[in-house]
């Protein structure tokens, strides 16, 4: 039995977790900063760093106590060292390094995006015992839209990425256009549930015929133009005016359909093209059940998707990825540094 202590502070969640054998969550503590950033409509980096400093020690103590764990039971410490906000990553990395040194425990630096992939095996139960390869993964969050091929643990090839906005960023920006709160994804999904996805024909950016990349800025501009055509000043209108005047459900449904259409089509095609045995989703946008439904409809192979609370940022996924790296003998040392622009491959 191997127990990994995981830390995640790459963006606006301070998270600490303890995971057994890469799959079983013993504790998963998350201090979200949503309220802190909501009034700015996005994450404010300096505020995020300070909030991590305030939250990390209480979160760590809570994670130990929930798991009824002490130091003897911890085999290694895994921490996100990139990609993410530099000041935010520094808090987690330095805290983890301090603990590893003080308690003489092995240390592992984890790529946040790899964590989103490994969230798929948490609490998987008997139906999915170990990751199988090749695996095609779609990681869609507020900061990333990556299409990835993995041939084995820790081995990745990036097939495609966004050329402009990330998928979650598009949800957040469109939510703002519609006068909704931040983060926008959950609210758009809720409204879309009662809307007509065919009322507005928004563009799908398929790009070149063989392209695996994504692009969402044209879609965002099209929604903005539609808002103007519906008689709302896209720059000046208050959130209340927007919500009153606009057919929110139909706009949300039509927008979501355009995003889901492109994401699902490309990931299903990639799985087939590269002979994947499994298809995995991850990242905050994977919490969207319409996306999961469409991917399941289109894919020829089993589709994995974490429950919504494990799609968004957490430290259990970092501990899970850490387990497989620990098992393969990997170790970081105290020179481990943050890598804000770290790609998955
Ligand atoms: O993975 P995550 O928690 O943080 C990053 O690493 O970015 O993802 C947050 C993003 C936000 O843009 C949020 O709007 C989006 O995920 N999101 C959703 C849903 N829940 C969260 N997007 C669409 N549908 C959802 N249900
Ligand atoms: Zn994330």
């Amino acid at each position: 039995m191997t127990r990994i202590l995981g830390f995640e502070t790459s963006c606006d969640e301070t998270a600490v977790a303890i995971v057994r054998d890469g799959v079983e969550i013993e504790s998963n503590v998350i201090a979200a900063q949503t309220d802190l950033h909501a009034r700015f409509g996005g994450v404010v980096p300096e505020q995020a760093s300070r909030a991590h400093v305030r939250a990390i020690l209480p979160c760590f103590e809570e994670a130990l106590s929930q798991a009824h764990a002490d130091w003897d039971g911890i085999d290694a410490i895994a921490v996100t060292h990139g990609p993410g906000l530099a000041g935010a990553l520094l808090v987690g990395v330095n805290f983890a390094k301090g603990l590893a040194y003080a308690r003489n425990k092995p240390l592992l630096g984890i790529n946040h995006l790899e964590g989103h992939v490994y969230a798929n095996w948490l609490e998987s139960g008997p139906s999915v015992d170990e990751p199988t390869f090749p695996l095609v993964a779609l990681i869609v969050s507020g900061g990333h839209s990556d299409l990835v091929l993995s041939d084995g643990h820790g081995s990745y090839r990036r097939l495609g990425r966004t050329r402009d906005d990330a998928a979650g960023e598009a949800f957040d920006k469109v939510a703002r256009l519609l006068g909704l709160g931040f983060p926008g994804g959950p609210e758009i999904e809720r409204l879309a549930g009662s809307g007509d996805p065919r009322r507005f024909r928004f563009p799908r950016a398929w790009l070149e015929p063989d392209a695996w990349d994504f692009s969402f800025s044209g879609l965002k501009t099209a929604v903005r133009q539609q808002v103007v055509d519906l008689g709302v000043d896209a720059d000046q209108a208050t959130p209340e005016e927007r919500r009153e005047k606009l057919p929110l459900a139909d706009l949300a449904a039509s927008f979501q359909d355009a995003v889901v259409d492109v994401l699902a089509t490309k990931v299903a095609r990639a799985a087939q093209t590269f002979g994947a045995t499994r298809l995995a989703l991850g990242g905050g946008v994977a919490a969207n059940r319409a996306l999961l439904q469409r991917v399941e409809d289109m894919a020829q192979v089993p589709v994995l998707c974490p429950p919504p609370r494990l799609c968004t940022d957490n430290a259990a996924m970092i501990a899970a990825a850490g387990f497989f790296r620990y098992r393969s003998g990997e170790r970081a040392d105290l020179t481990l540094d943050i890598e804000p622009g770290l790609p998955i491959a």
Side-chain angles (χ1 to χ4, degrees):
M1 196 261 285
T2 304
R3 225 188 230 119
I4 309 285
L5 169 65
F7 289 94
E8 155 63 38
T9 64
S10 68
C11 190
D12 60 343
E13 259 93 32
T14 315
V16 187
I18 296 177
V19 171
R20 237 166 94 162
D21 297 329
V23 294
E24 194 182 318
I25 298 176
E26 293 194 327
S27 62
N28 189 21
V29 178
I30 304 173
Q33 307 172 4
T34 321
D35 296 346
L36 185 62
H37 304 294
R39 63 201 161 104
F40 302 104
V43 177
V44 185
E46 181 55 29
Q47 296 277 359
S49 316
R50 290 187 208 184
H52 286 309
V53 170
R54 286 193 298 271
I56 197 158
L57 184 58
C59 285
F60 163 62
E61 285 170 344
E62 178 68 22
L64 279 183
S65 112
Q66 275 183 21
H68 306 293
D70 58 22
W71 279 109
D72 294 339
I74 303 289
D75 294 282
I77 299 171
V79 58
T80 303
H81 72 125
L85 302 168
L89 288 165
L90 271 172
V91 178
V93 166
N94 284 326
F95 194 87
K97 277 162 71 168
L99 284 179
Y101 179 71
R103 298 288 175 174
N104 198 23
K105 297 285 178 186
L107 179 68
L108 298 135
I110 303 299
N111 184 312
H112 178 83
L113 302 171
E114 179 176 48
H116 276 305
V117 176
Y118 279 84
N120 279 289
W121 282 274
L122 287 167
E123 297 182 327
S124 52
S127 59
V128 190
D129 8 68
E130 283 262 325
T132 60
F133 304 96
L135 171 84
V136 160
L138 175 70
I139 307 161
V140 272
S141 70
H144 301 274
S145 302
D146 283 342
L147 189 56
V148 173
L149 174 66
S150 174
D151 292 323
H153 290 297
S155 155
Y156 304 98
R157 189 175 134 205
R158 186 163 73 181
L159 302 172
R161 60 180 167 81
T162 180
R163 292 186 186 169
D164 37 60
D165 294 347
E169 200 179 346
F171 271 92
D172 295 336
K173 287 179 176 171
V174 165
R176 221 169 161 180
L177 276 171
L178 304 187
L180 309 172
F182 172 84
E187 187 71 349
I188 289 194
E189 177 175 14
R190 194 184 62 75
L191 285 163
S194 60
D196 174 8
R198 278 173 293 274
R199 167 130 178 230
F200 303 102
R201 275 312 287 179
F202 291 133
R204 275 88 169 135
W206 299 110
L207 307 176
E208 306 80 45
D210 54 349
W212 298 111
D213 282 351
F214 304 104
S215 164
F216 296 106
S217 72
L219 171 59
K220 179 195 62 194
T221 307
V223 176
R224 185 188 166 83
Q225 190 54 50
Q226 187 62 63
V227 165
V228 172
D229 292 349
L230 287 161
V232 168
D233 184 328
D235 295 314
Q236 305 288 334
T238 65
E240 294 73 26
E241 263 176 79
R242 292 167 199 256
R243 292 199 299 269
E244 245 164 57
K245 281 195 181 166
L246 295 168
L248 294 180
D250 291 346
L251 282 167
S254 303
F255 160 76
Q256 179 176 278
D257 198 60
V259 177
V260 162
D261 201 9
V262 174
L263 290 176
T265 303
K266 291 209 178 198
V267 71
R269 185 151 49 87
Q272 195 167 20
T273 305
F274 295 96
T277 58
R278 291 259 164 77
L279 195 162
L281 305 180
V285 181
N288 188 295
R289 299 295 99 171
L291 173 63
L292 173 60
Q293 184 65 55
R294 190 78 58 91
V295 173
E296 281 177 336
D297 290 347
M298 297 183 95
Q300 318 275 339
V301 293
V303 177
L304 303 170
C305 185
R309 73 195 159 79
L310 294 175
C311 286
T312 47
D313 289 350
N314 64 84
M317 69 185 198
I318 302 304
F323 167 76
F324 291 99
R325 288 191 174 268
Y326 176 78
R327 198 175 64 175
S328 69
E330 189 177 313
R331 304 290 182 267
D333 59 29
L334 294 178
T335 62
L336 178 71
D337 205 352
I338 59 161
E339 294 191 47
L342 186 68
I344 190 155

